[in-house]
Amino acid sequence: MELLGVIGNPISHSLSPVMHNSAFQAIKKTAVYVPMLVQEDNLSQAIQGAKALGFTGINVTVPFKEKVIPFLTQMTDDARIVGSVNTILFQGQEIIGHTTDGAGFQQAMEMEVGINPVGKSFLVLGAGGAARAIAHQLSKQDCQVYLTNRTLDRAQRLASDLEATAIKKPIVIANQQQELAKAVQECQVIINTTSVGMEATKDQSPFPLDLLTQEHQVIDIIYNPAETLLLKTARELGCTVQNGVGMLVWQAVKAWEFWWGITPPVDVMYQALKNSLASQE
Ligand code: NAP
């Protein structure tokens, strides 16, 4: 029996176990995926413990995606540039860190709403961990990324971190109506990576809604609620919209590819996730 799991704090809300275990059952893979609550002081022991117990790999979630880095022996280029790890592979004595958030985001965007980034312009709202992964993923390709954030310094730091690998240097814009209005005219796709729109802020939008036009494609990586105020407004206006469910599924798919080089039954993962989310409503 192969062992896998996810470390985080809190962890009981994580939807990863149900996604992975449903996929294991569907293909009769002898593996189990468990949620593991870890205290920050025990992070090193938790990783060493998983290695000693023979885990194949683990996922890492909030608040440890950056904090695990000192305990790794290797990192993929993507993880190093983004500065975040959501997937670890134990291989002999090696503890290898990787991030699948950016690739998962792109795959979901291509599969669900048919967006190929090449030649497009994207406005990324936010500059936290998810924004870093998404902006890196996009800017590796021939497209223009605009970045804005409540804390502008953070967006500027992200743009400068991406300079070496970006085909087109990301452009930082102030989070103000006039600046946003100009950027929005240039961009076909608007991506919310901030936490604005989640339960505590469900009546708020991360972006002035009057700037949206029917031509925009709008992606909100929040998956609970399934439709944020931003997405609802965009949908009613006639925009193509996508929520965060696909990114959550596809980052898990990319983790399988990293652990075993195989693709799981994606439809099973989608269904397991949708059932879990529906039961939480
Ligand atoms: P994070 O690193 O904590 O970043 C949070 C971002 O939200 C920052 O840009 C922050 O701005 C901004 N923000 C927070 N409160 C705000 C407010 N009241 N007004 C304006 N901006 C605000 O978090 P993260 O890990 O990137 O996650 C962000 C969101 O993405 C969460 O909703 C999370 O659930 C979602 N997510 C989804 C997936 C998926 O697979 N679908 C994966 C990862 C994350 P400042 O820099 O100014 O604080």
Side-chain angles (χ1 to χ4, degrees), residues 25-202:
Q25 275 169 19
I27 63 161
K28 299 192 173 30
K29 188 168 178 59
T30 49
V32 65
Y33 186 107
V34 288
M36 297 177 285
L37 179 67
V38 173
Q39 304 301 330
E40 188 171 340
D41 287 349
N42 297 333
L43 191 53
S44 164
Q45 291 98 313
I47 293 168
Q48 286 298 333
K51 177 171 173 272
L53 289 167
F55 273 61
T56 300
I58 53 174
N59 286 128
V60 181
T61 188
V62 176
F64 299 135
K65 287 187 182 183
E66 292 166 36
K67 293 185 174 124
V68 295
I69 291 173
F71 310 118
L72 305 171
T73 62
Q74 282 182 40
M75 278 171 91
T76 61
D77 287 346
D78 282 343
R80 194 173 33 74
I81 294 159
V82 172
S84 167
V85 164
N86 77 339
T87 304
I88 291 176
L89 169 67
F90 299 106
Q91 197 171 66
Q93 287 312 303
E94 302 297 329
I95 304 173
I96 308 167
H98 181 43
T99 178
T100 66
D101 281 336
F105 169 83
Q106 179 167 342
Q107 188 88 43
M109 177 174 77
E110 288 181 3
M111 300 301 285
E112 288 192 1
V113 284
I115 298 175
N116 175 344
V118 174
K120 299 233 161 45
S121 293
F122 294 83
L123 174 60
V124 176
L125 311 172
R132 292 185 66 86
I134 291 169
H136 168 58
Q137 177 70 26
L138 294 173
S139 66
K140 284 193 289 185
Q141 297 158 87
D142 191 7
C143 62
Q144 181 65 60
V145 175
Y146 290 77
L147 296 170
T148 189
N149 192 40
R150 175 179 62 178
T151 312
L152 206 59
D153 280 5
R154 221 173 161 192
Q156 273 153 350
R157 221 173 314 132
L158 172 54
S160 94
D161 289 349
L162 297 181
E163 242 173 66
T165 49
I167 292 188
K168 290 187 181 144
K169 189 175 176 298
I171 297 170
V172 177
I173 54 161
N175 195 8
Q176 285 161 3
Q177 182 94 12
Q178 226 179 351
E179 301 279 329
L180 289 171
K182 264 193 270 167
V184 155
Q185 283 178 6
E186 304 290 324
C187 293
Q188 295 82 40
V189 189
I190 298 167
I191 306 166
N192 177 41
T193 76
T194 78
S195 45
V196 179
M198 291 177 78
E199 195 53 37
T201 49
K202 65 170 193 269

